[in-house]
């Protein structure tokens, strides 16, 4: 393939459209979460990922590297994010009882309450952003693809 290959050009255009859709959705959700709950999209995502972990199941807790992978941030950015939420009383960190080098993070009751309150705002903002994006012919196929996804919980 060369840089002028039509398949490569189409791939690049598809990637640009996907990036545009992601950006529009993230900005819309960010504004809604900030206005209603003083939460960023990343903070919401982190609380959401951690709230789904079950300490009573084998492999049910995530170490910081796994958390970073789940929220698509570097380990240092994840650590800063965890620290901000910990300072707000929304998360707590603790050492792994079997490996003192392992650090786990857990959502506090206050974090769960905020997440529960913010979830409808997130869902509504997502729906609004997808509806707006669907009116753009370039983004319509991507919106349909997102809407058709059935990701197991």
């Amino acid at each position: 393939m060369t840089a002028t290959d039509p398949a490569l050009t189409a791939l690049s255009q598809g990637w640009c459209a996907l990036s545009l859709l992601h950006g529009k959705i993230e900005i819309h959700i960010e504004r809604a979460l900030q206005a209603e709950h003083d939460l960023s999209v990343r903070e919401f995502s982190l609380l959401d990922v951690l709230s789904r972990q079950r300490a009573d199941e084998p492999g049910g807790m995530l170490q910081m590297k796994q958390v970073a992978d789940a929220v698509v941030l570097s380990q240092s950015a994840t650590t800063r994010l965890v620290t901000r939420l910990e300072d707000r009383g929304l998360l707590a960190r603790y050492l792994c009882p079997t490996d003192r080098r392992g650090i786990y993070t857990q959502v506090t009751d206050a974090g769960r309450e905020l997440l529960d309150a913010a979830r409808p705002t997130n869902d509504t903002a997502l729906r609004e952003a997808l509806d707006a994006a669907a009116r753009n012919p370039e983004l319509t196929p991507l919106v349909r693809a997102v809407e058709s996804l059935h990701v197991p919980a």
Side-chain angles (χ1 to χ4, degrees), residues 22 26 86:
H22 177 268
E26 189 167 44
E86 187 177 36

Side-chain angles (χ1 to χ4, degrees), residues 2-14:
T2 65
T4 57
D5 186 320
L8 189 55
T9 301
L11 182 63
S12 178
Q13 289 171 338

Side-chain angles (χ1 to χ4, degrees), residues 98-111:
T98 58
D99 179 1
R100 302 302 281 177
R101 296 169 297 171
I103 298 175
Y104 291 103
T105 306
Q106 176 175 351
V107 180
T108 63
D109 290 341

Side-chain angles (χ1 to χ4, degrees), residues 3-5 7 10 26 38 51 61 100 105 121 132 139 150:
T4 57
D5 186 320
E26 189 167 44
D38 193 29
S51 74
M61 299 306 298
R100 302 302 281 177
T105 306
T121 302
L139 300 179
H150 298 284

